[in-house]
Every structure is written in C-alpha cells, then in structure tokens.
Amino acid sequence: MDDAGASLTAQMSAMGRAAKAAAQALRLADGAARTRALMAMAAAIRADARAILAANARDVADARAAGLAPAMVDRLALDAARVEGMAAGVETVAAIPDPLGVETQRWSRPNGLDIARVRTPIGVIAIIYESRPNVTADAAALCVRSGNAAILRGGSECLASNLAIHAAVAKGLAAAGLPEACVQVVKTADRAAVGLILGGLDGAVDLIIPRGGKSLVARVQAEARAPVLGHLEGLNHVFLHKSADLEKAKAIAVNAKMRRVSVCGAAETLLVDSADAQRLLPPVAEALREAGCELRGDARARSLVPGMAEASQEDWTTEYLAPTISIAVVDGVEGAAAHIAAYGSAHTDAIVAEDGAAAERFAALVDSAIVLINASTQFADGGEFGFGAEIGIATDRLHARGPVGAEQLTTFKYVVRGTGQTRP
C-alpha cells in the first residue's frame, strides 16, 4: 500500500471509531435532544442556502463539462425550492414520533416473567449514494431521528454540494449538544473509500445501504463485509386493466412516466390488457406522445399505435430515467403479473382498474415493495408516505421493504423483567 492509500485507510478507520462513539451518544440521548438537533439542522440548511447553491452550481458545471447525462444532471441540480424542500423534510422528520424505546409487544409468562420487545437503534449506518445531494440531508435526518450514527459517501459528482449540506448538519448537531461525528461525510472522491466502507471499517459499520444504479448495488452486495439493505433500480410498471377508466388511465400513465423521469419511482413500462387494448392504448399512447415521451412497443402494441418503435428484449429491463417508455399488451391480470415477475425489480408497480376484484388480485399476485391501485408510481417516496424523508426504496424481503424511514432504521431487543426467577 502506498502512502496515499495508507493515509486514506487511517482517515476512514478514524471515521469508523468516531461514528461508533457517536452512535453510543445518540443511543443515550433522549428524543427531545434529537428533535432539537433536527430543528437546528433545518434552520442551518436555510441559513446556508446561498453557500449550498454556490457549491451545487460548481458541481453542475463540472458535471455538464464532463458530459454527464441530462437525467443525472437533473438529479444533481439544486435550486432555492429544492433547498427549502430539504429543510422542510428535516422538519417533517423531527415532527414524527420518536421510534426509539417503543414497546411493539409486551406479554407475561406463567412463571411471572414480563417480556417486552423494544425498538432500538441499529448502530452505525454507512450509506453509499450517487448524484442526489438531497440524500445527504435526508439520510442525516433519518439517522439522527432513529438514533444511528451515519457515514455518508455520496457520488464524486456532488461532493461540493454534499460537503456544504453537511456543514449545516454539523451546526445543527453542535447546537443540540450532540457530537458532530453523529453524521460524517467522506470528504474524498477517491473510490478506494467505498472499498474501505464495504470492508466494514474494522467492524464499526453495522449496516450498509447502497442508493444508486445497478452497478453500485451489485458491487455493494458482492463485496460488503457488513449487512446490506438493498435498493434496486426502479423497473416500474403501470397496468391498464380492461375495466380502467380512460381519463384515469391517461392521467396516471402520463404522471407516472413524465412527472419526473429521473426518479426511481418513474414508470418504465406500460402494460395494457388485451381484452380492451383497442379502447385504452391509442389515446393513452397519444397522451404520452403529447407529453414528449418516446414509445417502444411489442408487436401487439405496435399494431394498435402506428409509428411506434419496436421494443427490444433489452427494453423490458431498462431503467430509462428519460422520457422513454416500453409498452406491452398482456392477457389480463395474470399476464401483467407474469410480465412484472419476469422483468421487474420488485420496486413499484401499479394497476388502473374500476374492477375492485381485479385490482386486489393484482395486489396479491405482484410481489413488489410497493403496489398501487389507481395511483401514480411517482408516489413511491417516503415523504408521500408520511415518513418525512427516506433513505431509499428497499427491494429486499428481510428487515425493511419499500420506503425506508426512521422506523425502518431501527431493530429491536427483548427486555425481560423478573422477580428472581430461575429456570428449573
């Protein structure tokens, strides 16, 4: 290992040690102290808005000069409204009930033992994410609310933005008398730092959360020496059942795809029931085209919509993050569920249907983290669920699923109270 590598290793190990100590301080802090920290963090983000926007402007300029894709630049860019949104999100997290110390169940045994299951922090959470600087504020807020120390490693393309946001977060922690090490940001763009985090920082890291593209998640899952809470890409579907109301179908399909194409909740595939595709698909396709969306369809879809491009096999597994959607005609709820099972990422899928039984059948068959009935996939967001913010949309089946808010960043322990019992 050269001198630079040794220096980075030492720096990261020091971050791990500081995080472990900070996690203990957070575990012992009461809910009021963590609430004060969150409110001070929100105030500091507002006060530092000019510095945050200036740092972000540098990141955006560098990203454009480097040829970063427009969708990624959109994820990276901040404006006054988005900075205010970050501050408001932190305040919303501050207002949610403190998840720590909550007894989720309590019972007594015949021998007199009193057993309680109580929510506790996980410990030190390392979050590795790409080009969305608002994740820095969201992750900091949710980890503080749930009593966890955070080590944040954002993408190199938003380093200046992340450091400016973190400076405000640190001010808030200090104002509440909590260690600034409760939330730390890796200050280097060196990719070797990611490898050191995946190695667990000498056992300091209790959970790793990747938030980014398929390659990042795959690397984390392959190399991590600590537990991972997975967040796969959003290969999301909207299914128009034969009973769908046409105006709802148009509104939901256009919003799901085009409201913001660069978010993980954007729809990437439209499925249309063959039983009434003639009524549904042409007007919905026209509405998407009018909104500026490129259409790529299978043979049955193209037979109903002249001029639609042919979808390749690759299209069904592509998260476009762009104004492009693939379209397939399927045979009923079972056909839609089969397509989603074959090509989806278990993230978010929606049905538009007036037939309640069909909608519930879809919800039962589709094993995704979020299933929506007559609503846009763009609601796949912790804020829209009332969580204030989210670390991401977990697509795993263990521990947490869907939007990961403060409650999902806790684990539990059993507290058993006795009066002197011994086991025979």
Side-chain angles (χ1 to χ4, degrees):
M1 184 184 297
D2 60 19
D3 290 345
S7 175
L8 179 61
T9 299
Q11 291 173 32
M12 297 298 295
S13 293
M15 287 183 72
R17 291 192 296 273
K20 207 70 177 174
Q24 182 68 3
L26 275 172
R27 183 182 293 272
L28 297 175
D30 61 24
R34 286 180 279 111
T35 299
R36 287 195 300 273
L38 291 167
M39 296 301 294
M41 285 161 52
I45 288 171
R46 289 195 177 96
D48 290 1
R50 183 174 296 179
I52 292 169
L53 289 172
N56 183 251
R58 295 194 298 272
D59 283 336
V60 169
D62 290 345
R64 286 179 173 148
L68 199 69
M72 298 301 287
V73 174
D74 177 64
R75 285 187 169 206
L76 169 61
L78 296 174
D79 56 21
R82 288 185 180 180
V83 173
E84 171 57 29
M86 283 194 292
V90 174
E91 288 176 334
T92 302
V93 173
I96 65 176
D98 185 4
L100 299 183
V102 174
E103 290 185 355
T104 61
Q105 194 171 352
R106 189 167 187 170
W107 65 97
S108 296
R109 297 292 296 148
N111 60 8
L113 289 178
D114 179 84
I115 303 173
R117 187 166 63 206
V118 183
R119 285 203 200 107
T120 63
I122 291 171
V124 175
I125 300 177
I127 302 164
I128 304 170
Y129 52 104
E130 293 177 341
S131 58
R132 295 185 67 179
N134 63 293
V135 175
T136 302
D138 290 350
L142 290 171
C143 285
V144 170
R145 175 79 285 172
S146 57
N148 297 291
I151 295 175
L152 309 179
R153 203 288 184 180
S156 58
E157 67 279 359
C158 59
L159 181 58
S161 305
N162 291 339
L163 291 175
I165 295 166
H166 176 255
V169 168
K171 291 176 186 176
L173 290 166
L178 292 173
E180 292 186 15
C182 290
V183 180
Q184 300 177 80
V185 168
V186 177
K187 297 180 180 180
T188 177
D190 190 336
R191 292 189 176 186
V194 174
L196 292 169
I197 291 172
L198 297 181
L201 300 181
D202 304 316
V205 175
D206 296 297
L207 179 67
I208 299 173
I209 301 178
R211 177 167 174 166
K214 185 182 294 187
S215 61
L216 169 64
V217 176
R219 181 189 176 189
V220 171
Q221 291 177 329
E223 299 180 20
R225 300 282 299 273
V228 175
L229 186 59
H231 171 105
L232 294 180
E233 74 273 29
L235 295 174
N236 307 324
H237 302 73
V238 173
F239 170 52
L240 308 182
H241 184 255
K242 65 181 180 181
S243 68
D245 175 86
L246 180 56
E247 293 307 311
K248 284 183 188 177
K250 289 193 289 186
I252 290 171
V254 171
N255 183 267
K257 176 70 253 184
M258 299 299 292
R259 172 191 164 271
R260 195 170 175 196
V261 300
S262 62
V263 297
C264 66
E268 306 294 8
T269 298
L270 177 68
L271 303 175
V272 185
D273 195 338
S274 61
D276 211 356
Q278 179 67 60
R279 175 179 71 92
L280 293 167
L281 180 52
V284 172
E286 182 60 26
L288 285 164
R289 277 178 170 163
E290 288 179 355
C293 187
E294 177 190 348
L295 312 180
R296 301 179 185 178
D298 66 3
R300 290 200 284 181
R302 286 183 288 112
S303 72
L304 295 171
V305 181
M308 184 186 298
E310 182 177 358
S312 68
Q313 192 67 17
E314 184 180 0
D315 280 306
W316 310 122
T317 55
T318 297
E319 185 183 30
Y320 298 111
L321 301 176
T324 303
I325 194 166
S326 55
I327 302 176
V329 176
V330 296
D331 297 325
V333 170
E334 279 70 17
H339 185 103
I340 291 168
Y343 301 112
S345 58
H347 191 291
T348 300
D349 298 291
I351 182 174
V352 183
E354 295 303 299
D355 182 335
E360 295 302 328
R361 176 74 173 162
F362 179 88
L365 284 173
V366 174
D367 187 22
S368 295
I370 303 171
V371 179
L372 300 112
I373 297 172
N374 292 324
S376 169
T377 59
Q378 297 261 344
F379 285 107
D381 177 87
E384 296 296 327
F385 276 52
F387 297 170
E390 66 175 40
I391 297 295
I393 307 294
T395 52
D396 285 346
R397 287 169 172 78
L398 298 178
H399 179 69
R401 221 176 170 201
V404 177
E407 181 181 324
Q408 289 74 32
L409 292 179
T410 63
T411 183
F412 61 84
K413 63 184 176 184
Y414 291 100
V415 178
V416 183
R417 296 174 175 88
T419 55
Q421 289 91 334
T422 59
R423 185 172 176 177

